[in-house]
Amino acid sequence: MPRPITSPARILTRGWSYTYEESDTQIAKGTQEAFQTESVCVDYDCFYAAVFEAENPVLKSLPLAVQQKHIIVTCNYEARRRGLHKLQLIKEARKTCPDVIIVLGEDLTRFRNASKELYNFLKRFVWSQKVEKLGFDEVFLDVTNLVDYNLDILNHHSLSDSFFHLDQTDPTVGFTYDATCFAGNTFPAGVEGDTPRSKLSSFPTADTSETNSTDRLETRLRLASHLAQYLRHQLEEQKGYTSTVGISTNKLLAKLVGNVNKPTNQTTLRPPYLSTPGNAESNVLSFIDNHDIGGIPGIGYKLSHKLRNHVLRREPQFNEGLVWGGTKENVKVRDVRLFPGMSSEVLSEVLKGPGSHKDIGVKVWGLLHGVDDTDVGKVRSVPLQISIEDSYLRLDTLSQIHKELLMLTSSLIHRMHVDLTEIEEDGKALDEDEDKNADTIGMSRRWLAHPRVLRLTTRPRPPMRADGTRSRTFKRISRSTSVPSFVFKLTDSTETIAKKLVDEALVPLFRKLHPEAGWDLSLMNVAVTDMIETASDDRHGGGRDIGRMFRRQDEVLKEWKIEDRDMAPSQHDIDEQYNAEDDLEMADDNANANQLYTRKGSEDEVLHTQSTIVEDDSQWDSGGEEPELGDACNICGATMPSFAMIAHERFHLNPD
């Protein structure tokens, strides 16, 4: 039995209610209503290098490195096998591997386009459309709906010969798999013959016991692992990219467990996820405890620095180097979680500061136990923000600032045109493939969204110390203003808009950021954010585009449009016409005979002339009944409505 809870802090994440005990055990048990979501983290292997390899497959067997500035930002695994690594100086890389092929990667356009293509490829497999991109090379997928559907129809009498359905409407779309085992690697590594974890022979029932809930969670993760393997193979076969995948119940664990076996591999974090009486420690804690505190997503440089200070009781020491240096102090999650007196309240005190979230202690306490309450974001038609930045060894004159701002702003405007506009032809938006191959002559572009905020961010270098060194810092400062309306003029060139934006908006922002001389910048960032989607045809837009609707009405209403065309009559129509004409001739003869019998001639009878207005008979037709013909005058035989007969008789009585 867990010890009595003296000061509980409670986190609810996807139905998983965790109660944290402020004692030396640090965590009590949580409910078994958790683990009902399956998250997959897809990480493309050495992505920048893979983009060049996809363009030129010959490079796959050669040592390849991608250069930005004076360092290697990434290299393929052949280059790593020969001793190269990320963030290595170019001159050191050439000494280590003289035959390395170095390509420039400062223009991010090719990487951005490749990332978008792969993202669109993966999102086709996710029914919930919960597909979230993290940077260029990582994508989170929430595959809960797929797993739920296939779990419901799983035949527990033939688990080894199962079929994973990828389409609810077409039962033939999918792949075969063995539901009795995981696909790929697991953490902890599976032991052959281990039951029921390694080889499932029976299907878990709806029993709510902890053992059965663990088995059911394991079955769900098995299905998710086979789906992840299928996606990896499809990505490589159809797009030519290899990837490493992590599978678990939230984004945090999926991302971390995917790093266990690299490259071109996958790993699933196996149950049990909770520590229970008589059970071993949860796999979540045993897995996350061995990670450095700075390597936990959601705990950045500043927070990890404060945590190291608290645990070490002093400032941590760092290696030399501003960009590629690392810490010498290896403080693990276990060291923080099991630190004497540690609790969510203590973390709130340690991590508080200007701009910190009021629940920062509870949030970080959850991350230290593998709890992540952030959902996988849904597919967005437009990004949340667009930013361009660059780093510098020295940037300390206004002329340099103006030059670099112009380059950054030109790239920003180009990105806005690519990501926030679409091509229209006759009022119809083109899809991505059509847009890519379209001849834009005679076509127009429209904005999908308008950003409202323009932001300039800089990172000043701290002043020199007396010994000629600088302190290590990653502090950024920023200023914002509204986006000028001329930015959205699609008729102006990118260079014209960029120059005007720098002169009228960004330079004034820079002067507010750095009103005094003597600054030296190591980084500048220009961004637009606070996107407001424009009117569109779907429910995600900011209203209906009336102009576009009218331009497309002929196309939309085409199937209901009635056209007057001359067509040759059929024999049936000719026969019907002859019969109708015979009936009309007989009716006319009868009418003429009656008219000769009843009419005796009268000057009161209204004759149709050119000035006579003939009213529509439908004005008198009420409820579909036959119209009233009126009464006939006994003197002259004229027919008229009943209400006019009295006046007409007075006419005969007073001829004068």
Side-chain angles (χ1 to χ4, degrees), residues 30-144:
T31 66
Q32 289 291 353
E33 298 175 359
F35 322 125
Q36 296 182 0
T37 61
E38 280 68 44
S39 296
V40 174
C41 179
V42 180
D43 185 359
Y44 311 129
D45 296 327
C46 50
F47 178 64
Y48 281 15
V51 173
F52 286 100
E53 291 176 347
E55 296 174 357
N56 185 6
V58 177
L59 297 174
K60 292 185 176 182
S61 59
L62 302 175
L64 175 67
V66 181
Q67 175 185 352
Q68 288 182 359
K69 301 297 182 181
H70 54 287
I71 62 174
I72 290 177
V73 292
T74 191
C75 54
N76 64 4
Y77 285 98
E78 177 60 27
R80 298 181 190 187
R81 189 180 64 83
R82 303 191 187 192
L84 301 188
H85 56 83
K86 292 181 180 180
L87 304 182
Q88 188 176 20
L89 290 172
I90 295 296
K91 60 181 181 180
E92 294 179 358
R94 293 191 184 279
K95 290 180 182 179
T96 305
C97 183
D99 56 344
V100 62
I101 300 174
I102 299 178
V103 293
L104 292 177
E106 294 189 3
D107 183 3
L108 303 181
T109 303
R110 53 163 40 94
F111 310 127
R112 186 177 296 110
N113 294 340
S115 177
K116 188 175 182 179
E117 179 184 0
L118 298 181
Y119 173 81
N120 290 329
F121 175 78
L122 289 174
K123 76 179 183 182
R124 300 184 314 179
F125 296 95
V126 181
W127 296 349
S128 65
Q129 291 298 291
K130 289 185 177 182
V131 184
E132 181 181 349
K133 186 165 64 171
L134 180 64
F136 286 162
D137 61 343
E138 285 186 280
V139 178
F140 290 103
L141 313 174
D142 187 335
V143 296
T144 306

Side-chain angles (χ1 to χ4, degrees), residues 491-637:
T491 55
D492 291 348
S493 65
T494 299
E495 293 75 15
T496 301
I497 297 175
K499 186 177 185 307
K500 192 174 181 181
L501 189 61
V502 169
D503 294 337
E504 298 184 10
L506 291 175
V507 170
L509 281 179
F510 182 83
R511 294 187 186 277
K512 293 179 181 179
L513 273 175
H514 304 281
E516 300 178 358
W519 38 261
D520 182 14
L521 306 182
S522 62
L523 178 141
M524 279 202 308
N525 177 292
V526 181
V528 289
T529 184
D530 194 9
M531 303 291 180
I532 303 298
E533 296 191 39
T534 59
S536 64
D537 292 336
D538 57 31
R539 61 184 178 88
H540 301 292
R544 297 296 300 276
D545 190 342
I546 302 300
R548 185 179 179 187
M549 182 180 69
F550 279 115
R551 290 194 300 271
R552 296 187 58 199
Q553 66 177 351
D554 289 340
E555 176 188 352
V556 174
L557 301 177
K558 184 177 180 180
E559 58 180 307
W560 293 286
K561 186 176 181 180
I562 299 177
E563 297 182 2
D564 187 9
R565 298 178 180 177
D566 294 332
M567 300 181 63
S570 63
Q571 185 62 42
H572 175 74
D573 295 335
I574 295 175
D575 295 340
E576 290 291 334
Q577 182 177 0
Y578 285 150
N579 294 334
E581 290 176 353
D582 292 341
D583 293 340
L584 288 175
E585 290 177 358
M586 294 177 62
D588 289 342
D589 293 343
N590 294 334
N592 291 335
N594 292 334
Q595 187 177 17
L596 291 175
Y597 178 79
T598 58
R599 285 183 56 186
K600 301 178 182 178
S602 172
E603 296 178 355
D604 295 326
E605 184 178 0
V606 181
L607 302 178
H608 295 323
T609 63
Q610 291 182 353
S611 61
T612 303
I613 300 178
V614 181
E615 300 289 347
D616 187 1
D617 290 341
S618 62
Q619 297 182 34
W620 302 90
D621 190 1
S622 174
E625 298 178 355
E626 292 294 329
E628 184 180 358
L629 297 178
D631 298 330
C633 179
N634 295 327
I635 300 175
C636 65

Side-chain angles (χ1 to χ4, degrees), residues 409-428:
T409 307
S410 297
S411 298
L412 179 69
I413 299 299
H414 176 72
R415 280 277 312 280
M416 291 172 62
H417 288 173
V418 172
D419 294 343
L420 300 182
T421 67
E422 67 178 0
I423 294 179
E424 286 187 310
E425 182 180 13
D426 297 331
K428 176 185 177 182

Side-chain angles (χ1 to χ4, degrees), residues 396-467:
D396 56 1
T397 65
L398 194 57
S399 60
Q400 290 178 317
I401 293 294
H402 192 279
K403 178 182 177 181
E404 295 301 326
L405 281 178
L406 193 58
M407 295 176 61
L408 293 175
T409 307
S410 297
S411 298
L412 179 69
I413 299 299
H414 176 72
R415 280 277 312 280
M416 291 172 62
H417 288 173
V418 172
D419 294 343
L420 300 182
T421 67
E422 67 178 0
I423 294 179
E424 286 187 310
E425 182 180 13
D426 297 331
K428 176 185 177 182
L430 304 183
D431 59 30
E432 184 179 352
D433 294 333
E434 293 173 334
D435 195 338
K436 186 185 301 183
N437 302 318
D439 181 4
T440 56
I441 298 177
M443 300 182 184
S444 61
R445 279 193 172 271
R446 65 180 291 267
W447 287 96
L448 297 173
H450 292 112
R452 296 197 300 181
V453 176
L454 174 68
R455 186 181 67 230
L456 174 64
T457 304
T458 63
R459 186 175 65 196
R461 283 190 175 87
M464 284 280 191
R465 296 193 183 102
D467 59 357

